[in-house]
Amino acid sequence: MTHQSSQLQLVTLGTAAGRIWPDPGRSGTSTVLCVGEHHYVVDVGYGWGQRYHQYGLGTGFGLTPLRNLRAVFLTHLHSDHTIGLAELLTYGLEPREEPILVMGPGSRGTPPPTHGSVAGHNVPLVHPERPLPGTVDMVRMLQAAFAADLNDNVRDSGKPHPDSVLRASDVRLPASVIAAVGDPDVNPAPIIEPFAVYEDDDVRVSATLVDHRPVFPALAFRFDTAAGSVTFSGDTCVSENLVRLARDTDVLVHEANDVDFIEQFLPEPRTPAQQAKLDHLRAAHTSPIEAGQVAQAAGAGTLVLTHLGRCDPAAPPWDMAATTFAGRVVVAEEGMRLSVGNREEIH
């Protein structure tokens, strides 16, 4: 990292958690880190591309509206964090000097265990030929799925080949991390030290494992720049690894869910599927109070809550993070801009 940019800004494209149908007020989880003129996107939930242009990050209707987008980082491969890859691949088919890097987790390796009402049953795998694609395979398989469209555009309209538009890369876990994990069904996020995954002239990116079981690997990312640092939790329960990664970060962007509301929304008696969902939310996500505890332990300057789960609109719980965190708490809204290093500038 050699470039000394003085501008570092966080822009929230979407703040909703989980699989959502179209909602004019909320899009799927996606955040942009603007380092000078270069943009780095963390996760591409539903509607991210439309919001990217709506909030003034694209460059209009010219041939290269995504020219400032340098890289996309995926915290994990659930669809509410990756559904926008298809949009990026097809709608982003434009000439570039360098392809957009898409970096995210590799394959889990083995299928997750069955749970709840299907525990111990022989549940058939979806797409058994390749049931657990990592980031590289996901992008390749999207190319295959959209090959008719892509070939029409490349051969008839002179569009660039998609390989020159996107360059996919699996995050390589260090051998020491793989050894520490052992069986991801038992402990998908043992205590480890952060490890480097990417660097250019604007940013240095490091990562760690977080616990979003049964997902493996689930990643958190930290971006260090000349102007400051921003850390993204991804989806996780309370994580010591995240505390280590986010130590003294200027901004911690952390997920938040209100499982108490979901329990009321799904009163007993629950179906096995409903109970399994509640169990997952309890085991693999974080409440606002817990997110505040993580930010406090890390010594973060500002806590931004996003990936906000369903809650009681009359009494949203997000401000509860302030009961456990002494710094500034910001509840993300669609299109919010936060200048890192200037705690007063949010609009």
Side-chain angles (χ1 to χ4, degrees), residues 9-16 20 23-34 39-58 66 69 71-72 84 87 232 253 304 306-307 332-338:
Q9 191 174 67
L10 192 75
V11 184
T12 54
L13 301 184
T15 62
I20 59 170
D23 181 333
R26 299 244 283 165
S27 297
T29 185
S30 185
T31 310
V32 184
L33 193 62
C34 302
H39 300 165
Y40 303 82
V41 173
V42 178
D43 292 326
V44 283
Y46 173 85
W48 83 273
Q50 181 177 1
R51 300 303 194 197
Y52 184 87
H53 290 89
Q54 179 182 347
Y55 299 144
L57 298 172
L66 296 178
L69 178 55
V72 172
E87 185 178 6
F232 296 84
V253 182
V304 176
T306 190
H307 190 271
E333 299 177 357
E334 306 278 316
M336 182 193 77
R337 293 174 179 263
L338 187 153

Side-chain angles (χ1 to χ4, degrees), residues 199-223:
E199 184 171 354
D200 62 24
D201 55 354
D202 284 322
V203 301
R204 181 183 299 115
V205 184
S206 48
T208 196
L209 292 176
V210 290
D211 191 345
H212 187 47
R213 61 186 68 199
V215 175
F216 177 81
L219 301 171
F221 292 111
R222 174 175 176 142
F223 293 73

